[in-house]
Amino acid sequence: QPSLIFACYGMNCGIYQPFSEERFSAYKQGIEKLKSKTDDAGVKIVFITPPPYDSHGKPHPYAEVLSKYSEWLVSRRDDGWMVIDLHSHMLASLDTEKLANPKFTYQNDSVHPNAVGHWVMTQPILQWFGDTASSQATSTKGVINLHKLPAGIKPLIQRRMELKRDSWLTHTGHTRPAIKAGLPLDKAKLEEMKLNREINRLVKLSGQ
């Protein structure tokens, strides 16, 4: 029973082929179906445009495909949808970096971002939440320093995220290969409580 959902679809939806009205229509129908289901359930949903496809300076039609998908998603703001435009933000950041170094990339394989790329993806989400100061930091370390949190808090938060992710993936019966099984939900929640206690202890010690 979630109260807020973030959904980022698009990167794989065009199957890395030139633009197709049929595939685009399927993408739109899928997104609209998701929106309808969340509305029926009384759940708020925030859509996030897909990251750009980095063709490493070589012409590739898929970059345009993702831009079209993103533009359509942003246009749904006119219908009252909540949409974070990650695509434009990351593309602008990438273009800036490439001015200084044409070989720069966040995505060595054109698709999967490295750690820096993931941070750039995080920035517009933090901005959406209203945390402008954190969104302007240059890394997660910068955010921790900004809020004067102890460095030891990061691995605990990372562990909590992985614990909950693996547990829920296993609970939902996913079929993706090479993903380790997570703990049953009840055991995962107990472990989460332990991590939360330690995280809260460190936060109190920091005076935040």
Side-chain angles (χ1 to χ4, degrees):
Q1 296 295 318
S3 57
L4 179 64
I5 294 173
F6 287 85
C8 183
Y9 289 100
M11 177 55 81
N12 298 318
C13 298
I15 62 173
Y16 304 98
Q17 298 298 311
F19 181 76
S20 160
E21 285 290 352
E22 182 178 0
R23 283 191 288 271
F24 187 32
S25 177
Y27 173 73
K28 291 188 287 187
Q29 288 175 21
I31 293 292
E32 288 169 344
K33 181 179 180 181
L34 177 58
K35 180 66 167 63
S36 177
K37 283 183 173 294
T38 56
D39 287 346
D40 291 344
V43 178
K44 294 181 179 180
I45 185 167
V46 180
F47 290 99
I48 304 173
T49 58
Y53 180 88
D54 187 354
S55 59
H56 303 297
K58 300 177 182 178
H60 196 292
Y62 204 60
E64 181 183 358
V65 170
L66 293 180
S67 290
K68 285 181 178 291
Y69 285 20
S70 298
E71 289 168 4
W72 172 78
L73 204 49
V74 170
S75 75
R76 298 311 300 266
R77 289 173 175 169
D78 293 339
D79 300 315
W81 289 25
M82 293 185 287
V83 180
I84 297 173
D85 190 8
L86 181 155
H87 185 89
S88 295
H89 172 81
M90 192 171 183
L91 191 59
S93 179
L94 183 62
D95 288 344
T96 298
E97 294 289 352
K98 284 183 179 292
L99 288 176
N101 177 11
K103 294 184 178 181
F104 181 90
T105 184
Y106 295 124
Q107 302 143 287
N108 288 325
D109 64 355
S110 300
V111 175
H112 298 92
N114 56 22
V116 178
H118 274 114
W119 171 248
V120 172
M121 293 168 67
T122 304
Q123 290 176 314
I125 299 173
L126 289 172
Q127 181 65 53
W128 184 86
F129 274 109
D131 191 350
T132 301
S134 292
S135 73
Q136 293 175 347
T138 57
S139 66
T140 53
K141 183 179 180 180
V143 174
I144 290 173
N145 292 337
L146 176 68
H147 294 284
K148 300 179 181 178
L149 295 172
I153 203 169
K154 182 178 178 180
L156 293 174
I157 294 173
Q158 179 78 20
R159 171 61 186 145
R160 183 177 63 182
M161 182 275 293
E162 292 171 350
L163 173 76
K164 297 176 72 175
R165 177 200 63 197
D166 295 344
S167 179
W168 276 105
L169 280 174
T170 299
H171 180 74
T172 56
H174 77 91
T175 57
R176 292 187 65 183
I179 294 183
K180 66 179 182 180
L183 292 174
L185 285 181
D186 55 347
K187 292 185 178 181
K189 288 179 180 178
L190 290 175
E191 291 299 314
E192 180 188 0
M193 289 173 63
K194 294 178 183 178
L195 289 168
N196 283 339
R197 283 197 293 268
E198 182 60 15
I199 289 170
N200 290 333
R201 185 184 71 82
L202 291 177
V203 170
K204 288 180 180 178
L205 287 175
S206 70
Q208 296 299 303

